[in-house]
Amino acid sequence: MDAILEHKLGFDKIRDIIAARCLTEYAADRVRGEEFSSSESQVRKRLELTDEMRLILMFEENFPTNGYIDCLAFLKPLEKPSVAIDLLSLRKLKTVLETLRKVIYFFDSVKDGVYPNLKKMSSGMVSFSEITRRIDGILDRYSEVKDTASDELYNIRKSLRDKEGTISKRISVILRRAKEEGIADDGASVTVRDGKMLIPVSAANKKKIPGFIYDESASGKTAFIEPAEVVELDNEIRELKFAEQREIVRILAEFSDFLRPYLPDLLDAAVFLGELDFLMAKAHTALDFVCGMPIISNNGELILRKARHPLLERSLKKEGRPIIPMTATLTPQQHILLVSGPNAGGKSVCLKTFGLLQYMFQWGMLIPTSETSELMVFDRIMADIGDGQSLENDLSTYSSFLSNMKDMLEKADSKTLVLIDEFGSGTEPAAGGAIAEAILAEFDRRGVYGVITTHYTNLKFYASGNNGVFNGAMLFDAKNITPLFKLETGLPGNSFAFELARKMGMPETIVKDAETRAGEEYVDIERNLRKIARNRKALDEKLERIKSTDKTLENITERYQKELEGIRKLKKEILDQAHKEAEEIVRNANRQVENTIRSIKESQAEKQATTQARQGLQSFVEMLAARKEQEQKEKDDYIERKIKQLDQRRERRAARSLQRADENRRKELMAQAEEKAREEAFRNAPLQPGEKVRVKDGGFVGEVVRVSAKAVYVIIGNISSKMPPEKLERITSGEYKEAYKAGSRNVSKVKIDSSLTERKLNFSTELDIRGERVSDALERVVKYVDDALMLSVSSVRIITGKGTGALREEVQKLLRTTPGVASVKDEHVQFGGAGVTVVTFE
């Protein structure tokens, strides 16, 4: 991997753009590790895979584009028998297996021959239905461990609920008995200090209640006793919770043992999904840049049609400016393009467009050109772009140039593409131009392919000769003194140095003096060179037009010859038919005359009979005349139809040209609309645990840990938050990293909200959610806990009420999975028992 070459061409930025579209770290590593290839078969395979994925993203709605999560990091350690999967990793594995099932179903449902390469990739994958069944037996729909995950866990949790109910009743009994015996005052109530349930009694009675003296009042008159019975029950509950965690760990360890025989196949599946994520990132980028798959040339031709520099196009689009596509051709006969023109006229952009698109192509990336473009596979790309001077290596600009040329001359051959910017500059023009011309002649002799930019006139003369080097000019509007950024091959470019000097405000006297010093010879050389090139180009264009005209004329002549032969054939058929009809008419006429004569003779020439015979003969003559007129009309109609058909043919050709233009514009608009729809679908699709998200309003980023029917639980930094799905949007791992880094850099700049102190003063350490629906209550609890963590509150009380205990159970389950919460337990019986949950924060 040539990092310097990639930086010079701008491919390092293309890598970063593709990596940012990856959902998994595996795919991002693939982007960073994929290398330039000189194998035609490998390049073809990479391009076909990317192009198939591009078509899937464009046209297939059933293909899953989310749910791709890194799982190699927690699957590989499971190869060791001592390692067990944790709860978050189990949730991620559940998401990954669901995505894998959808992918396999998609490729199984498509017909043979459609997406053949991707279908071949998926052919060996299985959906691991037994693993999915086991996971469903452990996790509920909210990805929490079920009570029924094991019999032991069910019994532990049942005992926990029973003990929690018992402790509430026991503390109430102890306090009531103490009041009845006069040990505690009638108005006394259970006090909570440091999470301990204490009964206040007078100092004189402190030994009358079995237990521990936990604290005293400032005056020493009141002692706070923790009853021994309560201590024992608290210890039992704590032991049950430890037992619950141990049982969950055992369940996960048992599941890990079950999983190990499947690990080789699971690792292959994880790599498969990572490869799909890698291809999706390339395809998404290709759609962003409106790329297509070019033709791989095997005849030594490199033809770029309507090529666009992707990075420049993106930059110009932000400014609302269009990019001007470039078209150029390199062949074995004309294999080096020498580009000249004014400074800031686009020469370097032309060169970098060639280099970047060729590098993208051989890296396996679709390129922003017409799909009729043809690119050949080179063994190497060598470049001399930018100022290579180095103080550390004692290299000047020209020394660096000569060093690069030495390397090129050692390796360059007919399978090499060289890219040289400002060829020969950096030293005395005469010597620099001569050395550059000698190197150019050697490249030409070896059949090296290349794109070279220069201002040297001697190189332009060399390219005007009969050799493998040809001129190209970056066009310039001499009238308005502005570059047009358009490449025209066959013509050398002018530097327009004097015109640019005037435009930049250089004093006219200085410019005139410079023109005088340059001399008429310099001006004449530039002028004559342009004139020769123009005449040669005009001659080439005329020859092309003549060839085109000859070809068109041949086609027209051939077409009319066929039509003439058809007319002659038709004429012969008409004449033959006419002869037959004439013979028939004569025969009929003879019969009619004979019949008439016979009638006259038989009627002995009576006047009336003679008149009738003559009338019959006249009718026969009129019938022949009418038939002749009808035949003539049919011939006229045929000629009229032929003329009309020719007119319609011309109109159809013109209509097809307009239709093609409209179709191209429609395709461009459809591509833009489809990309926008894909982006929205990716951002707003149902979320899965392990995916990265962004809060739409505040811009905060985090990771999904759990998804319920109406809410998504997200870890943002060290805070867990519950949010409605519509307030979140999915992001890629690259976007998550960028946002996280940006947030880290700006931590020192964040100002404290001016209302924070006021919010802390107004914050209540007690939240009452009695009578509310579970979903609404959980949403309030999440917001309340977030505020408590932000305000650094040590503990809070949440009043759920007793009832059936369902609300209390759901609230405590949520709180135990919330980061920042140290403990969750019922309040002492005196203060509400199981109807109040006490939350202590870390």
Side-chain angles (χ1 to χ4, degrees):
M1 187 184 300
D2 191 341
I4 297 176
L5 176 61
E6 290 191 2
H7 178 69
K8 287 180 177 180
L9 296 179
F11 186 75
D12 55 340
K13 295 180 180 178
I14 299 293
R15 277 190 194 270
D16 292 340
I17 291 170
I18 298 173
R21 298 303 299 259
C22 295
L23 299 175
T24 63
E25 193 60 35
Y26 173 90
D29 289 341
R30 284 282 285 111
V31 174
R32 289 187 284 266
E34 190 84 327
E35 295 185 359
F36 175 93
S37 174
S38 57
S39 167
E40 180 179 328
S41 60
Q42 189 175 48
V43 170
R44 186 185 303 277
K45 182 178 179 182
R46 290 178 181 180
L47 291 174
E48 288 176 348
L49 285 169
T50 306
D51 194 50
E52 286 179 13
M53 183 58 73
R54 178 180 69 95
L55 295 175
I56 286 176
L57 295 181
M58 289 175 65
F59 302 115
E60 303 290 352
E61 296 180 354
N62 296 327
F63 185 80
T65 56
N66 50 64
Y68 295 83
I69 299 171
D70 283 302
C71 53
L72 290 174
F74 64 80
L75 285 177
K76 283 187 177 180
L78 294 177
E79 293 174 340
K80 299 178 181 178
S82 59
V83 178
I85 195 168
D86 58 58
L87 191 55
L88 179 57
S89 298
L90 184 62
R91 292 166 180 164
K92 291 182 178 180
L93 181 60
K94 180 180 180 181
T95 300
V96 167
L97 292 181
E98 177 62 19
T99 303
L100 179 65
R101 184 190 64 78
K102 292 178 181 178
V103 169
I104 293 173
Y105 176 77
F106 172 82
F107 284 115
D108 286 345
S109 62
V110 298
K111 297 179 180 178
D112 292 337
V114 181
Y115 316 126
N117 295 285
L118 287 173
K119 189 165 184 176
K120 184 179 179 181
M121 275 181 62
S122 69
S123 60
M125 294 295 109
V126 293
S127 57
F128 302 102
S129 57
E130 181 60 22
I131 297 177
T132 302
R133 188 187 67 78
R134 289 289 291 266
I135 293 175
D136 290 339
I138 296 172
L139 300 180
D140 61 17
R141 58 180 180 146
Y142 300 121
S143 295
E144 290 296 327
V145 179
K146 293 179 176 180
D147 291 353
T148 56
S150 74
D151 294 339
E152 181 65 19
L153 184 62
Y154 179 83
N155 293 331
I156 291 172
R157 288 183 173 175
K158 185 176 182 300
S159 298
L160 262 175
R161 288 190 290 270
D162 293 341
K163 292 292 183 184
E164 287 168 350
T166 300
I167 197 172
S168 298
K169 296 175 182 178
R170 185 67 58 85
I171 196 70
S172 299
V173 170
I174 294 172
L175 180 61
R176 185 169 62 253
R177 187 169 60 241
K179 288 180 180 180
E180 292 173 352
E181 295 175 357
I183 299 173
D185 296 336
D186 291 338
S189 60
V190 176
T191 301
V192 179
R193 291 196 178 187
D194 299 329
K196 298 286 186 179
M197 291 192 299
L198 310 174
I199 296 177
V201 298
S202 63
N205 297 327
K206 61 184 180 182
K207 294 184 179 181
K208 295 181 180 180
I209 296 180
F212 301 95
I213 301 173
Y214 189 80
D215 200 359
E216 290 184 348
S217 65
S219 63
K221 294 181 180 180
T222 305
F224 297 92
I225 309 298
E226 182 180 14
E229 297 178 52
V230 173
V231 172
E232 184 180 351
L233 287 172
D234 277 341
N235 290 337
E236 290 177 6
I237 288 175
R238 189 173 292 108
E239 288 176 3
L240 284 172
K241 288 182 178 178
F242 288 146
E244 179 188 25
Q245 292 303 316
R246 286 195 300 270
E247 179 61 16
I248 290 175
V249 170
R250 189 198 65 78
I251 291 170
L252 294 177
E254 182 181 307
F255 176 78
S256 300
D257 292 336
F258 160 76
L259 201 63
R260 282 191 182 87
Y262 295 95
L263 280 179
D265 292 334
L266 282 171
L267 290 171
D268 290 343
V271 170
F272 168 67
L273 290 179
E275 287 293 327
L276 288 184
D277 184 26
F278 169 59
L279 292 173
M280 280 197 297
K282 290 170 66 177
H284 276 302
T285 305
L287 291 170
D288 290 342
F289 288 142
V290 193
C291 297
M293 179 177 168
I295 299 168
I296 298 180
S297 170
N298 52 16
N299 60 2
E301 292 187 353
L302 192 160
I303 306 172
L304 287 179
R305 294 185 173 95
K306 298 181 180 179
R308 311 179 314 279
H309 193 291
L311 301 176
L312 177 61
E313 183 176 28
R314 170 177 283 196
S315 177
L316 291 175
K317 188 177 290 185
K318 292 178 181 178
E319 301 174 7
R321 297 162 55 195
I323 193 170
I324 299 172
M326 179 189 74
T327 297
T329 301
L330 301 181
T331 66
Q333 293 74 36
Q334 289 191 313
H335 47 88
I336 299 179
L337 171 61
L338 187 75
V339 184
S340 52
N343 289 316
K347 298 191 302 297
S348 297
V349 171
C350 171
L351 178 142
K352 288 184 178 181
T353 301
F354 255 97
L356 177 59
L357 267 56
Q358 182 67 39
Y359 199 98
M360 289 172 64
F361 165 75
Q362 291 192 233
W363 186 80
M365 182 64 191
L366 306 182
I367 59 175
T369 67
S370 167
E371 292 191 348
T372 59
S373 295
E374 300 180 32
L375 277 76
M376 57 185 290
V377 177
F378 292 101
D379 288 344
R380 66 192 65 83
I381 298 176
M382 308 183 76
D384 180 67
I385 302 172
D387 189 352
Q389 65 175 321
S390 170
L391 296 177
E392 293 83 359
N393 298 323
D394 194 24
L395 287 176
S396 67
T397 299
Y398 194 66
S399 298
S400 172
F401 164 76
L402 292 176
S403 176
N404 289 335
M405 293 304 104
K406 177 176 175 293
D407 291 340
M408 289 184 183
L409 290 170
E410 287 176 352
K411 302 175 182 177
D413 55 21
S414 60
K415 295 289 286 182
T416 302
L417 175 67
V418 299
L419 306 164
I420 306 175
D421 196 19
E422 300 295 345
F423 194 28
S425 62
T427 189
E428 192 272 321
I435 293 174
E437 186 173 348
I439 295 172
L440 181 62
E442 180 62 17
F443 284 156
D444 184 17
R445 186 187 67 79
R446 296 185 187 183
V448 175
Y449 286 73
V451 180
I452 299 173
T453 69
T454 188
H455 287 286
Y456 284 175
T457 303
N458 64 311
L459 300 182
K460 300 177 190 177
F461 269 119
Y462 182 88
S464 299
N466 188 20
N467 49 57
V469 185
F470 64 105
N471 278 303
M474 299 309 299
L475 298 185
F476 192 82
D477 185 350
K479 181 178 179 181
N480 298 313
I481 316 299
T482 55
L484 299 177
F485 303 108
K486 185 177 181 181
L487 174 67
E488 183 176 6
T489 57
L491 291 175
N494 194 317
S495 64
F496 292 96
F498 302 130
E499 291 83 351
L500 285 170
R502 287 190 175 93
K503 182 182 179 182
M504 298 303 295
M506 190 72 71
E508 184 63 25
T509 55
I510 300 294
V511 177
K512 287 288 186 183
D513 186 30
E515 289 177 334
T516 303
R517 291 175 184 275
E520 289 295 327
E521 183 179 357
Y522 169 79
V523 177
D524 288 344
I525 287 174
E526 287 287 333
R527 184 183 301 117
N528 291 333
L529 188 61
R530 295 286 294 178
K531 184 176 181 181
I532 291 169
R534 260 197 312 271
N535 291 340
R536 179 178 173 183
K537 186 173 180 64
L539 180 60
D540 290 341
E541 289 175 350
K542 285 182 179 178
L543 288 174
E544 285 296 323
R545 283 199 298 272
I546 290 171
K547 290 179 182 178
S548 177
T549 303
D550 287 346
K551 188 174 181 180
T552 303
L553 185 59
E554 288 175 4
N555 292 336
I556 293 173
T557 302
E558 183 180 356
R559 187 169 69 250
Y560 282 126
Q561 186 66 33
K562 289 180 180 179
E563 290 187 1
L564 183 59
E565 289 177 1
I567 292 172
R568 286 173 178 169
K569 184 178 179 181
L570 181 62
K571 177 181 177 182
K572 185 176 181 303
E573 292 174 355
I574 292 172
L575 290 174
D576 291 343
Q577 183 67 26
H579 285 309
K580 291 179 182 178
E581 291 178 355
E583 290 174 358
E584 182 66 24
I585 290 169
V586 169
R587 285 195 295 271
N588 291 337
N590 290 333
R591 281 197 297 271
Q592 185 68 28
V593 170
E594 289 172 0
N595 291 335
T596 302
I597 294 172
R598 188 170 55 253
S599 298
I600 293 173
K601 287 180 178 179
E602 291 175 355
S603 61
Q604 297 179 356
E606 291 181 3
K607 183 177 181 181
Q608 183 177 0
T610 303
T611 302
Q612 289 177 350
R614 287 178 177 174
Q615 288 176 348
L617 186 61
Q618 182 64 32
S619 298
F620 179 72
V621 172
E622 290 175 354
M623 181 191 70
L624 292 178
R627 181 183 296 178
K628 184 177 181 181
E629 182 179 354
Q630 179 65 25
E631 290 175 353
Q632 184 63 37
K633 186 173 183 299
E634 289 176 355
K635 291 177 184 178
D636 293 341
D637 289 344
Y638 171 76
I639 294 172
E640 184 68 25
R641 282 197 306 274
K642 292 295 290 181
I643 294 173
K644 189 174 181 180
Q645 286 175 358
L646 292 173
D647 291 339
Q648 288 175 346
R649 200 176 300 164
R650 284 195 296 269
E651 290 174 358
R652 281 197 298 270
R653 280 198 295 266
R656 279 196 297 269
S657 299
L658 290 173
Q659 186 178 3
R660 279 194 296 269
D662 291 341
E663 182 68 16
N664 291 336
R665 177 59 179 163
R666 186 180 66 81
K667 287 181 179 178
E668 182 179 351
L669 293 175
M670 284 180 63
Q672 294 174 357
E674 287 171 358
E675 175 57 25
K676 185 176 180 181
R678 279 192 301 273
E679 181 72 16
E680 291 178 356
F682 170 75
R683 298 293 186 195
N684 301 320
L687 296 169
Q688 302 290 343
E691 293 185 326
K692 306 298 188 295
V693 292
R694 180 192 292 118
V695 181
K696 293 180 180 178
D697 294 338
F700 299 107
V701 297
E703 182 177 357
V704 177
V705 295
R706 192 154 61 94
V707 179
S708 66
K710 297 183 180 179
V712 178
Y713 297 85
V714 183
I715 293 179
I716 301 175
N718 293 324
I719 298 175
S720 176
S721 182
K722 176 185 174 186
M723 297 184 180
E726 60 269 13
K727 291 187 178 181
L728 300 170
E729 63 178 2
R730 179 183 289 98
I731 59 175
T732 64
S733 58
E735 291 173 318
Y736 175 80
K737 290 178 183 177
E738 287 298 321
Y740 191 81
K741 289 178 183 177
S744 300
R745 288 194 296 267
N746 295 330
V747 165
S748 59
K749 302 179 182 179
V750 177
K751 296 181 179 179
I752 297 175
D753 189 352
S754 60
S755 63
L756 190 60
T757 303
E758 182 181 353
R759 291 174 64 188
K760 192 165 185 177
L761 291 173
N762 294 332
F763 181 80
S764 173
T765 57
E766 190 172 277
L767 175 67
D768 190 349
I769 56 173
R770 287 177 293 184
E772 294 192 14
R773 300 168 72 177
V774 173
S775 58
D776 296 336
L778 291 179
E779 186 171 356
R780 286 189 62 193
V781 169
V782 169
K783 292 180 180 178
Y784 180 69
V785 171
D786 287 346
D787 287 343
L789 287 168
M790 184 177 63
L791 298 173
S792 301
V793 178
S794 60
S795 65
V796 295
R797 299 171 76 246
I798 300 176
I799 303 173
T800 58
K802 295 183 179 179
T804 61
L807 179 59
R808 163 185 165 278
E809 184 177 349
E810 289 297 323
V811 168
Q812 292 192 358
K813 185 186 293 184
L814 170 65
L815 291 170
R816 289 190 183 101
T817 61
T818 301
V821 175
S823 67
V824 180
K825 58 187 177 182
D826 288 340
E827 179 63 280
H828 283 239
V829 175
Q830 188 66 26
F831 295 102
V836 180
T837 297
V838 179
V839 185
T840 305
F841 301 106
E842 295 175 352

